[in-house]
Amino acid sequence: MSFQNTPMNVEDPSPMLVNMEQSSPVSKDESQNGGGSAHLEFSVFNSAKLKTDLQAMGVKLKKHEDNIRFLKSQKIKFDEVITELQGRLSSVRPPTPSKENIEINEQIIRHKNTAAGVLAVIEARHGAHVSQIPLMKGVVGIVAKLGKINDENLSQVLSDYLGMRSMLAIVCKDHDSAMALQTYDNQGMIDTSAGLHGLGSSIGQTIEGNFDAICLESVRPYVGRHIADDPQRRLDLLKPKFPNGECPPGFLGFAVNMIQIDPAYLLCVTSYGYGLRETLFYSLFSRLQVYKTRVEMISALPCISDGAVSLDGGIIRAAGIFTLGSRGEVNVRFAKPTASRRMDNYSEMEKQIKELTWKKGKLMEDMGREHVIRKDTLENFGKKKEEFVRFLAQSSATNQQTIPPR
């Protein structure tokens, strides 16, 4: 009986097990030997158990090898489609920024010596190539530029609700990207030559005060259902209702669903596959309700749990917390969405590439796990095979000693 030292591909373990059965050291003469009956039963039991274990391991190995082959074939398909889409995207001239986007960027730039102001200048200078700056690879953007709202009154009241600090917050994909924005020297002081401070120095600006950085991987995302067949992937939230089952008059919707998001950011912004609506805007607005007038909002108080706003400037931040006084307008607002077929097509291709790249990354993680499991199973198979060989050798020697001469 022969064994390979390291079986690299276990296609079918049954031939090996047939050889094992033929080599089992149990003879008719031994079974007739009354003195060796106990040893015979023990040998038969151990032999059967070891053969069963080896067969199970062989089947398991073949399963993992089949999984790896399948995942490799899927990776090749993903690579082909991604390469094709990237080729098509590179042949299309990126759409020029709309008038509204330029105005929002100028509003942010006017806030000199702020982190958002520095970032807006860098984005304006480098345009589509800004992602090639190492520091910017994990930066998604500034809150005010990541959503669009068609109604000017709603844009203003939501900006007022968030406040300037949140509107100018910098959004990053993960913790490392957020921490890279600001580094420290050996004395624990801010290193003004590195991170976003270093970029500010390169354009002649210094960042004064502090600023907020939002890490999308760390915020608690919305994990419920989405509205079916909605290209904007709006959240399927239950509408507020009075005890009689009627919806409050003047209710227009939830703020998180009234933000329009670029298709490229609807999916797979985080490693878990979430987009900006489930992460960024859900963390900022939660279930904030929007009403047409302040009077209608106040009349709906029994139905409001996570705050509400009205188009005429009313703000309820939480149950029992009202914003009163004159309306102090935040001078940075969300831009209006622009209708452009070329821009929509470009954004859709970006979305497809991002989604496929994310799926490929998850597939590679699965393949890595399969390789680890296969390696462990292969090592266990080798140990079990050696154990079986030793058992056969020992049983053969014992049988020769116990069987009397003819």
Side-chain angles (χ1 to χ4, degrees):
M1 183 172 61
S2 106
F3 289 86
Q4 296 178 355
N5 291 329
T6 308
M8 294 306 296
N9 187 9
V10 181
E11 293 292 343
D12 187 359
S14 56
M16 178 186 295
L17 298 175
V18 171
N19 291 337
M20 292 176 180
E21 291 173 356
Q22 295 174 350
S23 303
S24 180
V26 179
S27 65
K28 183 177 179 181
D29 291 338
E30 183 179 1
S31 65
Q32 294 173 348
N33 183 0
S37 60
H39 174 74
L40 173 64
E41 292 176 1
F42 179 76
S43 298
V44 170
F45 172 79
N46 276 351
S47 176
K49 184 177 184 305
L50 288 170
K51 285 186 286 188
T52 300
D53 291 345
L54 281 170
Q55 185 177 25
M57 288 182 180
V59 171
K60 189 176 180 181
L61 271 172
K62 186 176 185 301
K63 174 186 174 183
H64 291 300
E65 288 180 348
D66 289 343
N67 289 344
I68 291 172
R69 279 193 290 271
F70 171 76
L71 292 172
K72 285 182 177 179
S73 67
Q74 292 298 107
K75 176 184 176 297
I76 293 174
K77 292 180 181 178
F78 277 128
D79 287 337
E80 291 175 350
V81 176
I82 291 172
T83 301
E84 179 185 352
L85 285 172
Q86 287 175 336
R88 288 167 54 189
L89 193 65
S90 64
S91 64
V92 178
R93 185 169 60 88
T96 56
S98 65
K99 177 183 176 182
E100 289 78 9
N101 287 337
I102 294 174
E103 288 179 355
I104 293 297
N105 209 54
E106 290 177 350
Q107 291 174 10
I108 298 173
I109 291 175
R110 282 197 283 269
H111 290 267
K112 292 184 178 181
N113 300 325
T114 65
V118 169
L119 188 59
V121 172
I122 296 296
E123 290 178 343
R125 291 187 179 183
H126 293 271
H129 303 291
V130 69
S131 60
Q132 296 178 4
I133 301 175
L135 181 67
M136 302 299 295
K137 288 183 178 180
V139 175
V140 180
I142 302 167
V143 169
K145 297 175 65 176
L146 294 175
K148 293 178 174 60
I149 299 177
N150 194 42
D151 187 277
E152 291 185 6
N153 291 324
L154 179 60
S155 177
Q156 184 62 65
V157 74
L158 289 183
S159 300
D160 292 341
Y161 173 83
L162 291 179
M164 187 63 70
R165 187 179 184 88
S166 292
M167 287 294 287
L168 296 182
I170 297 176
V171 182
C172 300
K173 292 181 180 180
D174 49 42
H175 179 267
D176 291 342
S177 300
M179 293 300 99
L181 295 178
Q182 183 168 287
T183 59
Y184 302 86
D185 58 24
N186 295 332
Q187 284 72 41
M189 304 298 290
I190 296 175
D191 185 353
T192 56
S193 64
L196 201 55
H197 295 271
L199 286 181
S201 299
S202 69
I203 60 173
Q205 292 191 27
T206 58
I207 298 176
E208 298 175 356
N210 52 29
F211 61 94
D212 288 343
I214 300 175
C215 173
L216 295 181
E217 294 281 4
S218 300
V219 301
R220 180 176 294 180
Y222 170 82
V223 294
R225 295 183 302 178
H226 294 76
I227 296 176
D229 302 322
D230 181 11
Q232 274 284 307
R233 289 178 54 82
R234 292 177 175 85
L235 313 184
D236 190 7
L237 303 174
L238 292 177
K239 293 182 179 180
K241 291 183 179 180
F242 287 120
N244 62 5
E246 294 182 359
C247 187
F251 174 74
L252 299 178
F254 292 96
V256 68
N257 283 338
M258 301 176 81
I259 298 280
Q260 183 169 324
I261 300 173
D262 190 301
Y265 294 120
L266 286 173
L267 282 170
C268 308
V269 179
T270 72
S271 61
Y272 298 102
Y274 296 117
L276 288 185
R277 196 180 304 281
E278 302 97 324
T279 54
L280 173 65
F281 291 111
Y282 186 71
S283 69
L284 292 175
F285 296 122
S286 186
R287 286 171 166 79
L288 182 75
Q289 300 173 23
V290 179
Y291 289 86
K292 188 175 181 180
T293 66
R294 182 184 285 101
V295 173
E296 290 169 325
M297 178 183 70
I298 296 299
S299 67
L301 276 176
C303 304
I304 297 173
S305 58
D306 294 323
V309 298
S310 63
L311 298 185
D312 55 1
I315 296 178
I316 300 175
R317 297 198 173 274
I321 302 178
F322 302 84
T323 297
L324 305 176
S326 59
R327 188 173 182 176
E329 294 187 353
V330 174
N331 58 10
V332 175
R333 297 185 296 175
F334 293 103
K336 276 189 175 183
T338 54
S340 168
R341 177 167 295 183
R342 190 179 72 173
M343 183 177 292
D344 290 343
N345 292 339
Y346 192 88
S347 297
E348 184 61 30
M349 281 192 286
E350 284 186 319
K351 173 189 172 185
Q352 292 178 17
I353 292 173
K354 188 172 291 187
E355 184 176 358
L356 289 170
T357 303
W358 178 80
K359 289 182 178 180
K360 175 187 169 184
K362 290 299 178 184
L363 183 144
M364 296 303 294
E365 291 177 6
D366 291 340
M367 189 183 301
R369 283 190 289 269
E370 287 291 339
H371 276 294
V372 171
I373 296 173
R374 179 190 176 278
K375 180 181 178 181
D376 293 341
T377 306
L378 192 60
E379 291 177 356
N380 293 333
F381 185 89
K383 293 176 182 178
K384 184 65 68 173
K385 184 178 67 176
E386 293 175 0
E387 180 183 350
F388 190 78
V389 171
R390 287 195 302 271
F391 168 77
L392 292 181
Q394 293 172 358
S395 298
S396 177
T398 303
N399 290 338
Q400 291 178 2
Q401 294 176 1
T402 56
I403 297 177
R406 295 182 183 276

